[in-house]
Amino acid sequence: MTKEDREKLRETMTTKVAGLKEELLDLKELTRPEAPDCAIGRVSRMDAINNRSVNEAAMRNKQLKLSKLEEALEKIDSPDFGKCTCCGQEIPWGRIAIMPESTLCIRCASR
């Protein structure tokens, strides 16, 4: 991977990290508990509980992706960055460009 590729990737990753942080702030707002004294009906309360659990799952997924991206950003200058942790082969540029947090090549990830 060339230095230019790493710089492009660093920019992409930084943008993704910033976007994920914004999304997480929005999700935190959506997952706040509903006050029990709010005058909403039973069905509406059940719907609110269901929506909150869906948003909590989305928040967990985004937090995981954020932590993987931040970890990848720390390792981007490492000589091992972009190499599969399983087989040691170079991860194709297309995969790294789309999923910079990838640590496995396509073949190892599909196993």
Side-chain angles (χ1 to χ4, degrees):
M1 185 179 312
T2 66
K3 186 174 178 124
E4 293 170 347
D5 290 341
R6 287 183 196 267
E7 286 307 313
K8 282 187 219 174
L9 194 57
R10 186 184 319 272
E11 288 176 25
T12 302
M13 291 167 68
T14 303
T15 303
K16 284 185 178 187
V17 165
L20 280 171
K21 286 181 178 180
E22 286 181 28
E23 290 175 27
L24 281 169
L25 288 174
D26 293 339
L27 284 170
K28 279 185 181 181
E29 187 67 29
L30 292 172
T31 57
R32 282 190 347 212
E34 195 69 39
D37 58 341
C38 285
I40 61 175
R42 186 180 69 146
V43 173
S44 296
R45 187 170 303 284
M46 293 299 290
D47 191 41
I49 290 169
N50 185 47
N51 287 341
R52 191 175 79 202
S53 66
V54 168
N55 288 328
E56 286 172 344
M59 191 166 73
R60 281 190 302 273
N61 289 337
K62 290 189 186 298
Q63 285 172 331
L64 180 63
K65 184 168 183 156
L66 176 63
S67 67
K68 286 181 178 182
L69 275 171
E70 288 175 335
E71 184 178 328
L73 260 173
E74 289 175 10
K75 295 179 179 180
I76 196 166
D77 292 322
S78 166
D80 289 335
F81 182 79
K83 292 186 180 177
C84 178
T85 56
C86 187
C87 69
Q89 297 295 316
E90 284 283 326
I91 298 173
W93 172 249
R95 180 170 173 82
I96 291 287
I98 293 171
M99 296 175 52
E101 70 275 11
S102 302
T103 58
L104 298 173
C105 66
I106 296 169
R107 190 183 57 166
C108 292
S110 65
R111 288 185 190 169

